Amino acid sequence: MLAVTQYFFVGGAALAAGMVNAIAGGGTLISFPVLTAVGIPAVAANVTNTVALCPGMLGGIFAQRRDLAGQSKRLWMTLPIGAIGGVVGGILLIKGSEQSFRALIPYLILVATTLLAAQDRIRRWLMTHEGHDKRQDSVWHVSLPVGLGAIYGGYFGAGLGVILLAVLGLVLDDTLTRLNALKQTIALAVNLSAAIYFLFSGQVLWTVALVMAIGALAGGSIGGRLAGRIRPSSLRAIVVVLGYVVAVVYLVKR
């Protein structure tokens, strides 16, 4: 049971995470370290974080629903893969030991932070190569990269959007806007399936999750309103610096 002041920290972190996710992405790099900082075990913190932030993803998909038009075949191919991968990643997390997950945390944060830092470059590369070849919508081309990304997302989750956008750009021939909408939907499938599995794991801290969900939804609403006033690249740079600092702290504490 957390103290009242700790709930304020957790709620504030979720608020910030929701706002950052709405503008630039990378909110998990804020909320997860705060959960462990207030004394929550790493696995329980990751599980609770996934469950709490999952509802906030619906807003992004709703905003981009028009860009999903004509992509029903892709959705039928990728959503089951994403859902299965999310559950597999969740199983690996729950069945693994607390010690092994804690040992991986700094490296997972480093990977997520580096992906976030490279997000703009990846987007530019994808835009440069739009329509330059004839990649086909084949389940065999899509299954493995999306599945591996989904397993990572179910296990940890931070940086999942960047991973999915990169692999979709490599195997599918379409505009960045439409691929981004597809990425958002797959990411929801990954996180939702993992969250449903986590509901039965006994690791969800429900009071914390409720406080975080309220904070994340409020932060997402605020972030949506501020999106036109704050440069995503500037906010992303702050989150990247914070991510690297947090990774170093975890490495030192090992």
Side-chain angles (χ1 to χ4, degrees):
M1 191 70 178
L2 300 183
V4 174
T5 54
Q6 291 176 315
Y7 278 112
F8 277 108
F9 280 119
V10 168
L15 180 77
M19 185 177 70
V20 167
N21 280 337
I23 299 173
T28 297
L29 294 172
I30 297 174
S31 55
F32 175 75
V34 171
L35 290 177
T36 58
V38 298
I40 298 174
V43 172
N46 191 46
V47 166
T48 303
N49 190 68
T50 298
V51 172
L53 298 186
C54 195
M57 300 180 67
L58 291 171
I61 294 175
F62 182 78
Q64 290 191 282
R65 64 192 184 282
R66 293 181 180 177
D67 296 313
L68 290 171
Q71 300 201 69
S72 57
K73 178 183 176 182
R74 292 173 177 175
L75 291 172
W76 279 108
M77 285 194 301
T78 56
L79 292 188
I81 296 169
I84 293 170
V87 172
V88 171
I91 291 173
L92 291 174
L93 175 67
I94 297 300
K95 298 302 182 182
S97 67
E98 176 79 18
Q99 291 75 17
S100 62
F101 181 63
R102 288 195 67 89
L104 286 173
I105 285 175
Y107 305 105
L108 291 170
I109 292 178
L110 282 173
V111 169
T113 303
T114 302
L115 286 169
L116 188 65
Q119 187 176 57
D120 285 340
R121 293 183 181 180
I122 293 172
R123 286 180 181 272
R124 285 195 296 268
W125 183 87
L126 292 173
M127 291 177 68
T128 302
H129 291 78
E130 279 181 0
H132 285 193
D133 53 25
K134 297 295 182 182
R135 288 161 284 179
Q136 301 296 318
D137 287 16
S138 166
V139 67
W140 303 111
H141 288 90
V142 175
S143 298
L144 182 59
V146 170
L148 292 175
I151 292 172
Y152 167 83
Y155 188 78
F156 187 57
L160 173 62
V162 184
I163 292 173
L164 290 176
L165 185 61
V167 299
L168 289 174
L170 289 172
V171 299
L172 298 177
D173 185 14
D174 210 331
T175 65
L176 181 60
T177 301
R178 284 168 56 82
L179 291 179
N180 191 64
L182 181 61
K183 174 263 292 183
Q184 294 272 64
T185 311
I186 298 171
L188 176 63
V190 173
N191 284 279
L192 184 59
S193 63
I196 292 173
Y197 172 74
F198 290 151
L199 295 180
F200 305 97
S201 68
Q203 294 275 12
V204 181
L205 304 178
W206 289 106
T207 306
V208 176
L210 178 60
V211 171
M212 289 186 68
I214 294 172
L217 288 170
S221 176
I222 295 171
R225 296 177 183 179
L226 295 177
R229 304 178 187 178
I230 299 176
R231 292 181 59 188
S233 58
S234 300
L235 183 58
R236 190 178 299 118
I238 295 173
V239 177
V240 165
V241 171
L242 179 63
Y244 283 128
V245 170
V246 168
V248 170
V249 170
Y250 275 111
L251 282 170
V252 171
K253 289 174 62 177
R254 289 178 60 192

